[in-house]
Amino acid sequence: MKLDAQGLQDLQAWKEAGYDLPEFDRERMIGKTKENPFWVHFGAGNIFKAFLANVVQKLLKEGTLDRGLIAAEGFDYEIVEKMNRPHDDYNILVTLKADGSVEKTVIGSIAESLMLDSENQREFARMKEIFQKDSLQMCTFTITEKGYSLVDGKGSLLPSVEADFKEGPDAPSSYMGKVAALLYARYQAGQKPVAMVSTDNCSHNGDKLYAAVSTFAKKWAENGKVQEGFVQYVDDREKVTFPWTMIDKITPRPDASVEKILLEDGVEGLEPVITSKNTYVAPFVNAEECEYLVVEDAFPNGRPKLEEGGVIFTTRETVDKVEKMKVCTCLNPLHTALAVYGCLLGYHKISDELKDEELVKLVERIGYVEGLPVVVDPGILDPKEFIDTVLHVRVPNPFMPDTPQRIATDTSQKLAIRFGETVKAYQKAPELDVQSLDMIPLVFAGWLRYLMAVDDEGHSFELSPDPLLSTVCPYVKDLALKPGQDVESHVTEVLKMKQIFGVDLYEAGLAGKVCGYLSELTAGTGAVRSTLKKYV
């Protein structure tokens, strides 16, 4: 059983092995898609293959759609060369359900995969050809938040961006420069309408995409590289839109345990590839069953009926509320709390933490008791039910190979949104008392204890990557696991950092509580466990 067009001619073998197949006329779909493409996706990674490509597959099988997706990879071209094309753009989605069952689907909804490479004339010309088509309705993105950035960590223009500003849209090398060049090709073809839809997991994602494209348009116009009208085109919401979205589906790195299932079924050629850019890519993806995609309904060239595949279309204001609900209250804060304490308590699977009585109580109180009173109810998803699903279906799923170490990445960048917004909401609400918050300060103290890079048994561990480690770790380097030390003198300056916590914890009246917890968490080996037992 080979995962390519020839191997999938033996449908019976795949069906007998329990695979759901793309049972539609794929050759006809590919032909129609190439002639009249309607959807290009940038970033041919796991969440695209596990979510968006699967939505299109369902609609193709039902007959709601007769065309598929075009996948474009603009960062790591080897993904297309070494994975997509050798498998004829097929991949396998393995859905790992909380009840222990596994669902296996061969995804065949990608009609064409391309390299967004301006140095490859054939590939770039094809991309421009697609962007000049009347039929193109939408371009979606999963390129991570940093993919939209035009500057480095110090705020200086990236060299590729600076060069692209000067050289214009003919052969840009930066990601956003290449996207802007394609949009300029669409402008030149008659100012045709299109929706540019970021589905990356970051706040107000459409604004980030707009800011990057708009900056390119203005710089190129200033430098005489494009027609002045291009700037107006990008700004005209009748022509080009940048909708906000909220996406949520856990799709960890393809796991060896999942590969083993497929190999035992008789599937050949599953070897993952690690590219020269260190991207780990396999012909299969593993994902949880839960998924949410909420999209601002702003499509100037129309759109497919993706709501029939479970996508929720709504207003910008509602997307904003859904995002705040998820990020500030109902999911991300719980994840971060589990990540910090999971590392301290020696866990290596996030699902195992939901068997830990103290950790369950910790996240239940953060979500239900401290979060729900200030949650922004979006009206289309029930906040309490969302938390219920997170704590009873999603995180406890033992088949999802996710780790607290992965989730602990960049915690300094997350605390302000995931917890600081709740603190601010308590400060503003006359009926609420910020001093009633107990678990959020316990997470802040837990993070400071985590920065010591010593677990609860006294063993050192490696901190997850975080851009502020070199800033904050020096403050805790002289703390030890012993009772009676003056922890506050070490961490006073950190507790004042609004960029980390969203508030100055002294001004918020929570610094004393954080220091009290930290003093107990550092009292010796086993102190993390005993502190949790005492307070949760």
Side-chain angles (χ1 to χ4, degrees):
M1 291 164 56
K2 283 195 170 177
L3 186 67
D4 56 27
Q6 187 175 348
L8 279 153
Q9 286 178 2
D10 186 1
L11 292 179
Q12 198 56 37
W14 288 87
K15 281 182 180 175
E16 286 173 3
Y19 287 77
D20 188 49
L21 299 170
E23 294 182 71
F24 49 85
D25 187 337
R26 191 164 184 260
E27 286 307 310
R28 187 164 177 268
M29 178 277 286
I30 290 171
K32 294 190 80 162
T33 305
K34 288 185 175 180
E35 184 59 34
N36 288 299
F38 74 98
W39 183 351
V40 173
H41 182 84
F42 294 95
N46 293 339
I47 195 164
F48 162 66
K49 291 187 280 191
F51 195 169
L52 303 182
N54 192 34
V55 168
V56 173
Q57 168 125 326
K58 288 175 191 170
L59 298 179
L60 283 165
K61 288 182 73 170
E62 291 167 6
T64 305
L65 288 176
D66 62 357
R67 290 168 293 164
L69 288 150
I70 292 173
E73 178 53 47
F75 171 69
D76 194 337
Y77 309 133
E78 288 178 54
I79 293 172
V80 171
E81 291 176 303
K82 295 182 177 178
M83 191 54 60
N84 287 48
R85 290 180 180 170
H87 293 283
D88 295 326
D89 287 318
Y90 284 105
N91 69 86
I92 297 172
L93 165 61
V94 181
T95 303
L96 305 166
K97 299 194 170 186
D99 65 6
S101 64
V102 172
E103 207 172 77
K104 300 169 292 191
T105 308
V106 176
I107 302 290
S109 58
I110 299 169
E112 184 178 9
S113 56
L114 293 162
M115 292 173 265
L116 180 59
D117 179 4
S118 60
E119 292 180 9
N120 186 320
Q121 288 189 346
R122 188 177 64 80
E123 298 279 329
F124 205 53
R126 174 60 184 148
M127 289 297 308
K128 284 187 174 179
E129 180 188 5
I130 291 165
F131 264 73
Q132 290 162 345
K133 294 272 190 179
D134 291 349
S135 58
L136 184 65
Q137 295 178 314
M138 56 193 283
C139 304
T140 49
F141 296 77
T142 48
I143 60 173
T144 74
E145 185 169 0
K146 65 185 176 188
Y148 306 100
S149 182
L150 307 184
V151 297
D152 61 22
K154 296 177 182 175
S156 304
L157 271 183
L158 294 166
S160 60
V161 171
E162 194 165 13
D164 288 350
F165 283 166
K166 292 174 186 166
E167 297 299 323
D170 291 341
S173 60
S174 66
Y175 208 126
M176 285 293 105
K178 290 181 284 189
V179 170
L182 294 177
L183 208 49
Y184 186 55
R186 189 161 183 80
Y187 163 80
Q188 289 178 303
Q191 302 190 33
K192 294 173 181 176
V194 70
M196 305 292 283
V197 189
S198 169
T199 55
D200 272 297
N201 192 8
C202 51
S203 180
H204 301 171
N205 44 20
D207 288 355
K208 289 179 168 58
L209 177 54
Y210 165 73
V213 171
S214 174
T215 300
F216 266 98
K218 288 170 182 165
K219 288 291 182 184
W220 282 343
E222 283 172 21
N223 294 336
K225 297 295 181 182
V226 298
Q227 297 170 23
E228 285 288 340
F230 182 47
V231 178
Q232 285 76 51
Y233 171 71
V234 169
D235 285 343
D236 185 349
R237 290 298 172 264
E238 299 291 313
K239 297 282 175 62
V240 186
T241 57
F242 298 86
W244 291 3
T245 68
M246 189 287 289
I247 194 166
D248 187 16
K249 185 177 181 75
I250 300 170
T251 53
R253 185 170 119 159
D255 194 71
S257 63
V258 174
E259 184 180 352
K260 185 169 178 281
I261 293 170
L262 305 183
L263 288 170
E264 287 172 355
D265 287 340
V267 184
E268 302 169 45
L270 289 174
E271 295 78 18
V273 170
I274 299 175
T275 69
S276 56
K277 288 193 172 179
N278 213 31
T279 307
Y280 184 97
V281 60
F284 66 92
V285 288
N286 35 243
E288 66 170 336
E289 60 197 293
C290 291
E291 58 188 26
Y292 304 90
L293 178 56
V294 183
V295 183
E296 177 190 352
D297 201 354
F299 291 79
N301 200 28
R303 61 169 176 79
K305 293 181 178 178
L306 300 181
E307 58 268 43
E308 294 185 18
V311 179
I312 300 170
F313 291 93
T314 184
T315 64
R316 173 169 284 207
E317 292 71 26
T318 302
V319 175
D320 193 37
K321 288 177 182 176
V322 171
E323 182 201 301
K324 283 192 170 77
M325 178 198 78
K326 173 199 163 213
V327 173
C328 302
T329 317
C330 296
L331 171 62
N332 298 44
L334 316 184
H335 247 169
T336 291
L338 290 170
V340 167
Y341 278 100
C343 291
L344 288 171
L345 294 172
Y347 283 102
H348 291 280
K349 279 185 78 174
I350 200 85
S351 57
D352 288 342
E353 294 187 63
L354 269 289
K355 300 170 191 164
D356 186 309
E357 187 180 351
E358 281 80 45
L359 294 181
V360 169
K361 286 179 180 174
L362 172 68
V363 291
E364 283 180 346
R365 285 183 60 185
I366 290 169
Y368 295 120
V369 178
E370 297 187 350
L372 278 183
V374 295
V375 76
V376 180
D377 188 343
I380 58 171
L381 294 172
D382 180 85
K384 182 183 178 299
E385 287 178 12
F386 196 92
I387 298 177
D388 290 344
T389 304
V390 168
L391 293 183
H392 301 302
V393 179
R394 301 181 69 183
V395 181
N397 185 340
F399 299 97
M400 286 303 299
D402 214 348
T403 69
Q405 290 74 21
R406 183 191 75 82
I407 297 165
T409 300
D410 299 340
T411 300
S412 71
Q413 310 298 292
K414 299 170 179 175
L415 294 172
I417 298 295
R418 298 183 179 192
F419 300 100
E421 290 302 309
T422 296
V423 174
K424 289 179 196 172
Y426 270 74
Q427 289 176 311
K428 286 178 192 167
E431 73 278 10
L432 295 172
D433 178 9
V434 75
Q435 291 299 317
S436 70
L437 294 173
D438 293 317
M439 296 300 102
I440 289 175
L442 186 58
V443 175
F444 291 161
W447 178 63
L448 294 169
R449 170 68 181 80
Y450 160 88
L451 291 174
M452 294 169 64
V454 176
D455 69 18
D456 200 29
E457 294 181 0
H459 304 307
S460 60
F461 63 86
E462 186 178 347
L463 296 174
S464 299
D466 188 312
L468 288 188
L469 288 183
S470 60
T471 302
V472 292
C473 287
Y475 289 101
V476 300
K477 71 179 174 61
D478 294 326
L479 286 176
L481 294 186
K482 64 179 184 181
Q485 59 193 327
D486 178 12
V487 298
E488 185 169 6
S489 63
H490 292 272
V491 298
T492 296
E493 294 308 311
V494 182
L495 300 180
K496 294 177 182 176
M497 293 181 181
K498 291 183 181 180
Q499 75 268 33
I500 292 179
F501 300 104
V503 293
D504 178 325
L505 291 175
Y506 282 95
E507 291 174 2
L510 294 174
K513 197 172 277 191
V514 173
C515 290
Y517 288 142
L518 183 59
S519 181
E520 293 187 56
L521 290 166
T522 56
T525 56
V528 173
R529 176 63 70 187
S530 59
T531 303
L532 285 171
K533 279 183 182 292
K534 179 178 177 180
Y535 291 105
V536 305

